[in-house]
Amino acid sequence: MGCPKHFSVQGGMGAALLRKPEVACDIMKTLRRNLNIPVSCKIRLLPEIQDTVDLAKRLEDAGAYAVGVHMRQIHERPHDKASWDRLAPVVSALSVPVLANGDVFTHDDIDKLRKISGASSFLVARGALANPSIFRKEGRLPIDEVVREYLKAAAETDNVFQNTKYNVMRMIPSSLEDAYASCNNYGYAKDAHVVTVPDLAATRNGLQMYSLWDLQNYYNQYQDQFRAKAAALEEDAKPEDQTLTTLPGAHDRYAEDTEAEAPKARNNRTGKPELFCESCKIQLSSDKDAKLHYKGRKHKNVLRRQTSATISKFIAKAQLEQNPATGESGKIVPEIRQHEGEDKRDAKRAKLENTTAVADNGGNVEAASPTEP
């Protein structure tokens, strides 16, 4: 119940539940009734302190094991200072742990907030994302050292490139001015090598990213290990009579830093070797032209169509093998279904065909049966 974003509040979620305490308490009771694990909740400050206390107590009575309090109101955002002084009444009114949240960026902030509010626990978001060493009692480490340790851990666990890049962007300075500003506490010495957000944003794969911190060898070492492990697992899982080994255009996550395979050489009538794309059936003039072609959209679209066609063939083959109702030609004989009202329409159509139109003296047309006199 701490999210104040418009899409969340408009949908009746997040901070919108602060205005509907009966719904929030019902959700808590339902979770406690159906789960056998502790359930906690998080709220924001209400305009009146007593209203915040009453809501927290109702959630405690509903079964909350702990209550987190973001020390900002619904309309306030991160640039607004958190109201640390308004948390103490909530802490003193509850018997369950109260988790304080808002503007905690250093270990000293934790000690100060504990003395002011009496909170037993703390929720840290932006401070931990900016520098995970915030929890060291000795103080935060220089950001360059933190980033290097994080990149090593990401390489050892084969973390996804996009996720690693996003997290590192939250740590490094946006510009050189920010890096050397004393108020930011990045820990860079004068004239030190600094990697900024624009530098990292320009990278397109893991090798380029790790090269910014001279860790490309460390990255390649673990990528080789994961690549070998993946190849061994694929070899063990391969059937003996496998017909299709690899679908056209199949993606290999460990091939992101390797060069594209050289296209096959094909001899023409003159005996001169020429570069030829078997998938697109076109001639390529040079190695440079071939690399551009293999990275282009047209070639990738052809591979996608080939993949779809191959999959469709396998599906059709499987259907033929599973469906015994096949004709002599091997095609599936479609089942003829009679529509519910088709019999009535046929009878009506036959009746109209057997009737004759007889014009009376007034020019009217009457439908008469041929059996009538």
Side-chain angles (χ1 to χ4, degrees), residues 316 318-336:
Q319 290 177 345
L320 287 173
E321 293 176 352
Q322 295 176 2
N323 195 332
T326 57
E328 296 180 357
S329 61
K331 296 182 179 180
I332 298 177
V333 179
E335 180 183 357
I336 301 176

Side-chain angles (χ1 to χ4, degrees), residues 207 215-225 257:
L207 184 60
L215 293 173
Q216 59 271 24
N217 293 334
Y218 196 90
Y219 173 77
N220 286 331
Q221 173 187 349
Y222 282 93
Q223 284 296 293
D224 291 340
Q225 294 179 11
D257 303 319

Side-chain angles (χ1 to χ4, degrees), residues 257-275:
D257 303 319
T258 59
E259 294 291 338
E261 294 184 2
K264 298 179 180 179
R266 173 174 171 174
N267 294 330
N268 57 11
R269 295 181 179 179
T270 61
K272 180 181 178 181
E274 293 185 359
L275 301 176

Side-chain angles (χ1 to χ4, degrees), residues 201-222:
T203 61
R204 292 294 178 266
N205 54 54
L207 184 60
Q208 294 178 3
M209 177 175 63
Y210 277 76
S211 298
L212 295 176
W213 284 271
D214 296 327
L215 293 173
Q216 59 271 24
N217 293 334
Y218 196 90
Y219 173 77
N220 286 331
Q221 173 187 349
Y222 282 93

Side-chain angles (χ1 to χ4, degrees), residues 225-240 242 244-247 250-255:
Q225 294 179 11
F226 288 119
R227 192 178 292 111
K229 184 177 180 180
L233 292 174
E234 183 179 357
E235 186 67 25
D236 294 340
K238 186 183 298 182
E240 296 180 357
Q242 186 175 9
L244 183 65
T245 57
T246 304
L247 291 175
H251 175 66
D252 180 9
R253 65 170 297 186
Y254 297 108

Side-chain angles (χ1 to χ4, degrees), residues 165-195:
K165 180 178 179 179
Y166 173 81
N167 290 333
V168 174
M169 275 190 171
R170 301 295 298 266
M171 304 180 194
I172 61 178
S174 58
S175 64
L176 293 177
E177 290 76 12
D178 291 340
Y180 295 126
S182 59
C183 60
N184 292 329
N185 296 318
Y186 282 111
Y188 287 106
K190 287 295 183 181
D191 300 329
H193 173 67
V194 179
V195 179

